[in-house]
Amino acid sequence: MLDEKMTAELIAKAIEQLAFSYTPYSNFKVGAALLSKNGTIYTGCNIENAAYTPTNCAERTAFFKAVSEGVKEFQAICVVGGKDGVLTEYAPPCGVCRQVMMEFCNPEKFQVILAVSPEKYQIFTLREILPLGFGPDNL
């Protein structure tokens, strides 16, 4: 379980990522902060594309940055998002991002923090947001 200080740091870093979001089509900005088991925090923002399919979510951006540097064990991720970067409600990960999490994370222990502000957030396990997830243990 994360302590309040680390939770606040992840929320702050996810919010900072909104400034880097590239969203000329939806204007829905998303930021993510991914905590590895070694304590390093990897960040990500969503990056849209005119062809839509090549668009990459903030969560996957953070995961791919970490994995590309050899890190494959994670504790938690914080995700924030909103129209024009204004945080008014939770922005849960899409199904594709949940599947990427399932590839690298223990669904019983990995924590997903959905936040609107440092004071307003909820924490879920990956299992709670992906109850019947298919992962490496299924093969």
Side-chain angles (χ1 to χ4, degrees), residues 2-126:
L2 296 177
D3 62 28
E4 287 183 30
K5 182 179 177 188
M6 180 52 72
T7 299
E9 183 175 354
L10 289 173
I11 293 169
K13 288 195 176 293
I15 291 171
E16 287 173 6
Q17 287 300 299
L18 296 171
F20 303 110
S21 184
Y22 176 74
T23 58
Y25 308 107
S26 73
N27 293 312
F28 193 91
K29 298 182 178 302
V30 181
L34 175 65
L35 177 63
S36 69
K37 285 193 177 177
N38 71 17
T40 303
I41 297 172
Y42 294 88
T43 57
C45 63
N46 57 329
I47 304 165
E48 292 182 345
N49 188 285
Y52 295 117
T53 301
T55 293
N56 203 53
C57 298
E59 301 91 310
R60 283 182 283 142
T61 299
F63 267 94
F64 296 163
K65 283 168 69 175
V67 172
S68 73
E69 293 181 20
V71 177
K72 296 180 186 131
E73 295 183 333
F74 306 98
Q75 297 180 55
I77 191 167
C78 177
V79 183
V80 300
K83 194 75 166 171
D84 298 317
V86 177
L87 307 180
T88 58
E89 59 187 65
Y90 296 131
C94 74
V96 175
C97 288
R98 293 176 198 209
Q99 186 61 46
V100 168
M101 291 175 198
M102 192 71 186
E103 183 70 20
F104 296 102
C105 305
N106 179 327
E108 306 299 333
K109 295 181 180 180
F110 185 73
Q111 296 177 34
V112 179
I113 304 162
L114 303 180
V116 174
S117 70
E119 298 79 30
K120 183 179 178 187
Y121 63 89
Q122 288 188 2
I123 301 176
F124 302 90
T125 64
L126 178 55

